[in-house]
Amino acid sequence: RRLAALQAFCPDVAVENAAHYFTYGDPCDEADLIAGVLALPGAHMLLDLYNLVMMGENLGFEPRAYLDRLDLGRVSEIHVAGGAPSDPGWLPSGRSYLLDSHETAVPEPVWALLEEVAPRCSGLRGITLERMEGTVGPGDEGAIAGELARLRRVAEELA
């Protein structure tokens, strides 16, 4: 019902995979929910690869197992980002989790997943580099330009 209401004024809607830090049950079950949404007319996916890599690391699963449950032809946009580990002092166990903070360069596991997954996304319209406001400072221009150039190369290979 909510998707239909949204589609009344925006015919094409994309749903994004979340960034969970804990879950009850199999973390890949979210992919089944998203797959059900993607089966509806006009529904697309915004695939956040950092969220997927972060969750795989934090929750102990292989991101490709999550992706295998999805129709990647319905992905219209991919997001890439980087994040930082949490302070080990936050938890009594001292465990550190990757955070969805968008404050660092895109890590190599995200780049590798992008290069593997993007060609399978036949409906892909764009790839977005995410950085949180306030996390880019003087001197970061070269690194950001390098990431954008790498994204362009991936996009050009798809074309």
Side-chain angles (χ1 to χ4, degrees):
R1 286 189 327 259
R2 290 180 182 176
L3 181 61
L6 183 58
Q7 287 178 320
F9 61 90
C10 181
D12 288 329
V13 176
V15 61
E16 181 177 3
N17 56 302
H20 299 291
Y21 295 100
F22 69 92
T23 184
Y24 298 108
D26 183 352
C28 291
D29 285 348
E30 179 192 59
D32 294 336
L33 171 69
I34 292 172
V37 171
L38 294 178
L40 300 172
H44 303 278
M45 182 171 189
L46 186 164
L47 178 58
D48 191 313
L49 292 179
Y50 179 75
N51 286 358
L52 195 52
V53 167
M54 179 208 76
M55 284 178 42
E57 175 76 22
N58 290 343
L59 302 176
F61 72 92
E62 172 54 52
R64 286 159 187 85
Y66 183 106
L67 292 170
D68 287 344
R69 296 183 181 199
L70 298 171
D71 176 0
L72 296 179
R74 301 300 296 268
V75 172
S76 58
E77 185 174 349
I78 294 176
H79 284 189
V80 296
S86 65
D87 182 332
W90 289 359
L91 297 172
S93 68
R95 180 169 178 198
S96 182
Y97 282 85
L98 287 179
L99 301 176
D100 183 29
S101 57
H102 299 170
E103 65 183 282
T104 63
V106 177
E108 284 306 314
V110 173
W111 286 115
L113 203 53
L114 173 66
E115 291 168 4
E116 178 184 327
V117 168
R120 296 169 50 199
C121 300
S122 58
L124 187 61
R125 298 178 194 164
I127 305 170
T128 300
L129 173 65
E130 295 184 285
R131 283 298 288 264
M132 188 64 75
E133 182 179 349
T135 66
V136 178
D140 289 336
E141 298 87 354
I144 299 288
E147 288 185 312
L148 290 171
R150 194 167 176 180
L151 284 178
R152 283 187 192 100
R153 283 193 299 275
V154 170
E156 288 167 359
E157 288 176 14
L158 294 174

